[in-house]
Amino acid sequence: MDWEGYRQFAYRCTEGVLTVGIGRVVEQGGPGLSLEESLMLLENDIDRVEERLLETYPWYAGLSESQQIALISMAFQLGMRGLATFKMGLASLEAGSWQEAHDHFLDSKWAEQTPSRAEEVCSLILVE
């Protein structure tokens, strides 16, 4: 590690090769990421998102597992800032109005842009 150093974000090395972490080449010609490494990163990312959801929305803990998965998916795709723009949907979830929350989330630009994913994610909101 002393020779390579650590970089949290992707950068171009002195040879112009896209690199991240401790000398990991992430473009063609390098090792990239294995499926196992990608799954480990995903698990870490999901843990971080869930921590943020619990901090930001204390009522999140009282949702069903399916409803929690729906919010994790939305926060993962949209970011916490993006999720926060769904004020009416989030308020409906907090109030326990599942159908209303479902409908608010589907009445959005997000649902227009990724309709299959939005429909699948929002269907989880209805599972108590």
Side-chain angles (χ1 to χ4, degrees):
M1 183 166 146
D2 291 339
W3 294 328
E4 286 291 335
Y6 165 73
R7 295 277 193 83
Q8 180 179 2
F9 301 103
Y11 64 97
R12 298 258 173 218
C13 74
T14 56
E15 296 298 315
V17 177
L18 189 61
T19 308
V20 71
I22 304 172
R24 174 61 63 101
V25 175
V26 292
E27 64 183 14
Q28 287 299 117
L33 294 173
S34 69
L35 176 59
E36 291 79 17
E37 290 166 322
S38 296
L39 290 172
M40 181 194 68
L41 291 172
L42 175 63
E43 190 173 314
N44 290 341
D45 290 343
I46 289 170
D47 288 347
R48 269 191 223 95
V49 165
E50 188 160 34
E51 281 178 32
R52 294 282 314 279
L53 286 167
L54 283 165
E55 290 169 6
T56 308
Y57 308 110
W59 47 263
Y60 167 86
L63 298 176
S64 72
E65 182 178 359
S66 293
Q67 292 163 339
Q68 289 179 350
I69 290 169
L71 278 186
I72 290 169
S73 177
M74 290 180 72
F76 189 84
Q77 182 183 8
L78 302 165
M80 288 297 290
R81 284 188 194 155
L83 178 62
T85 65
F86 291 86
K87 295 183 187 322
M88 293 171 60
L90 292 168
S92 296
L93 272 180
E94 183 177 13
S97 301
W98 315 136
Q99 186 65 53
E100 192 174 285
H102 170 275
D103 295 346
H104 283 305
F105 288 126
L106 282 181
D107 184 23
S108 67
K109 183 177 180 181
W110 165 68
E112 289 174 19
Q113 292 175 331
T114 57
S116 296
R117 182 173 182 169
E119 187 61 52
E120 188 172 344
V121 168
C122 288
S123 70
L124 295 172
I125 291 170
L126 301 176
V127 180
E128 294 183 57

